Amino acid sequence: MPPILTFVIGVGASLTSLNQIAASGGTMQALIVDTGSSDPGGDFLAALKKINTSPALGCQYAIPAPPSGPPDYTKVNVELTPENSTPTALKHVADASGCTPTGGGWFYDNNTKPQQIILCGSTCTSINNGVSVEVDVVLGCASIG
């Protein structure tokens, strides 16, 4: 997967060659808006909404630098805050095998030299279901896990 995902929206009747660009950008398939449809503006908006709720978004995060000193990877937490709700801290698991369908959580891309935080599949799915959710990486307190 590329470090920055590329979403492609094609506007026209026959733009399937754009799938190659989308595939190279890690999103696999272009979204095509046919100008001959009864509501091309609505179709374009629907394509934008599909991108906004894509499971490809929001599942990997860079680890922020601490305000001072070296990072302490045992003092990192991930919090989810649904719109108009209170934050919930996610459980840190050792790796993808520690993820459960109902428990969710997060893990590092590399436990020895972490570069990214990766959300478990069930957590990723839950935050990309079309409901507005804020994801925060919080430093300074012992990881919950």
Side-chain angles (χ1 to χ4, degrees), residues 53-69:
T53 60
S54 169
L57 294 177
C59 295
Q60 295 184 9
Y61 299 89
I63 302 165
S68 63

Side-chain angles (χ1 to χ4, degrees), residues 1 29 31 34 43 65 81 84 86 93 100 103 108 112 119 127-128 141:
M1 292 293 283
Q29 189 168 354
L31 301 166
D34 186 351
D43 294 345
T81 308
N84 301 318
T86 57
V93 297
T100 64
Y108 290 120
T112 307
L119 300 182
I127 68 166
N128 285 294
C141 293

Side-chain angles (χ1 to χ4, degrees), residues 80-88 126-127 129-135:
L80 301 183
T81 308
E83 191 171 26
N84 301 318
S85 190
T86 57
T88 301
S126 72
I127 68 166
N129 66 2
V131 176
S132 180
V133 176
E134 181 178 316
V135 179

Side-chain angles (χ1 to χ4, degrees), residues 6-10 15 18-19 21-23 27 29-32 47 51:
T6 302
F7 291 88
V8 179
I9 298 177
L15 302 170
L18 294 177
N19 286 338
I21 296 169
T27 58
Q29 189 168 354
L31 301 166
I32 306 299
I51 291 169

